[in-house]
Amino acid sequence: RKEVEQDPGPFNVPEGATVAFNCTYSNSASQSFFWYRQDCRKEPKLLMSVYSSGNEDGRFTAQLNRASQYISLLIRDSKLSDSATYLCVVNTGTGKLIFGQGTTLQVKP
Amino acid sequence: DADVTQTPRNRITKTGKRIMLECSQTKGHDRMYWYRQDPGLGLRLIYYSFDVKDINKGEISDGYSVSRQAQAKFSLSLESAIPNQTALYFCATSDFKGTSGANVLTFGAGSRLTVL
């Protein structure tokens, strides 16, 4: 089993839709969690950290469920510019930062 | 100038050749990482280093070696390149201070390596 797993998609949604991605992790000692965005084989860039109580940044909401060992990302009112690959990243507790395989989102007009 | 600089950006080489990818950073971060990315597989950790004297294997270290020459420099070597090492390689840094902002990665622009 991979340490961090995501549904690769692709998720094809119309503009304005709400879409959610999940990411599961296997190491219960994992300490910190992040969502990164990657455009067209460019370098990944931090979208948001994921806090235990959940957190929101504009149209983006991240949540952590430690009991079930998953994190989620919700995007409301999708824009064409949201089309990208979304990568979850987990600090496994030893400082190793492990990526999921990424979920591709395509927002269509 | 970029905070994290990778050289070369693109390289085509032949099977059996030795290749070095270099990474330098101006962020003053202690932690540096090398990842490779293949289509459909996300980024996989090759090696990581928490300081000059600390080197650790990642998920896929076989066939690779690294050198942390200074806090700001972390190079990745392929001693004898093979075609399945064709990939996009990313160097990244992070700064750990034990805060909620810890371990946020800053990436270089990537090095595309093709092994024929």
Side-chain angles (χ1 to χ4, degrees):
Chain A
R1 181 185 174 189
K2 292 182 181 178
E3 290 189 75
V4 180
E5 293 197 74
Q6 294 180 250
D7 179 350
F11 286 64
N12 295 300
V13 303
E15 271 187 292
T18 295
V19 62
F21 310 134
N22 282 342
C23 170
T24 59
Y25 60 93
S26 61
N27 188 338
S28 59
S30 297
Q31 295 177 340
S32 51
F33 310 87
F34 309 88
W35 283 101
Y36 280 72
R37 172 188 168 133
Q38 186 177 28
D39 294 290
C40 223
R41 304 297 272 181
K42 293 187 177 179
E43 70 271 26
K45 293 186 178 178
L46 179 69
L47 178 65
M48 57 197 305
S49 301
V50 185
Y51 302 127
S52 296
S53 56
N55 49 299
E56 189 173 303
D57 182 2
R59 298 181 293 109
F60 299 84
T61 301
Q63 293 194 317
L64 167 64
N65 185 318
R66 285 194 182 272
S68 300
Q69 294 183 200
Y70 74 86
I71 63 173
S72 64
L73 177 68
L74 180 78
I75 305 175
R76 291 181 299 278
D77 189 22
S78 298
K79 311 290 185 190
L80 295 176
S81 58
D82 293 335
S83 298
T85 296
Y86 292 84
L87 301 156
C88 70
V89 181
V90 175
N91 177 351
T92 60
T94 60
K96 280 190 346 181
L97 293 167
I98 302 297
F99 282 72
Q101 65 264 53
T103 298
T104 299
L105 172 65
Q106 184 67 47
V107 181
K108 299 188 179 298
Chain B
D1 287 345
D3 292 328
V4 181
T5 302
Q6 291 184 231
T7 56
R9 292 292 314 281
N10 288 283
R11 181 72 183 269
I12 299 174
T13 191
K14 294 182 179 179
T15 297
K17 293 292 187 181
R18 184 178 187 273
I19 295 296
M20 179 181 287
L21 305 180
E22 299 190 7
C23 177
S24 63
Q25 52 121 341
T26 58
K27 294 188 74 69
H29 288 171
D30 288 326
R31 298 187 171 192
M32 298 187 74
Y33 305 79
W34 275 104
Y35 290 89
R36 69 175 274 177
Q37 186 170 33
D38 301 274
L41 293 178
L43 277 76
R44 292 182 291 168
L45 182 62
I46 306 172
Y47 272 95
Y48 60 109
S49 169
F50 287 172
D51 64 37
V52 174
K53 297 180 181 178
D54 181 76
I55 304 287
N56 304 280
K57 292 184 176 181
E59 302 169 274
I60 52 161
S61 58
D62 288 348
Y64 301 95
S65 62
V66 289
S67 174
R68 186 81 184 268
Q69 301 96 320
Q71 189 208 33
K73 295 183 182 295
F74 192 37
S75 59
L76 176 71
S77 294
L78 289 67
E79 296 301 326
S80 180
I82 56 176
N84 76 2
Q85 291 177 312
T86 294
L88 181 58
Y89 290 84
F90 286 107
C91 174
T93 73
S94 74
D95 188 20
F96 182 76
K97 292 190 174 72
T99 67
S100 61
N103 281 328
V104 173
L105 292 166
T106 300
F107 283 87
S111 296
R112 188 170 296 280
L113 177 64
T114 302
V115 184
L116 301 176

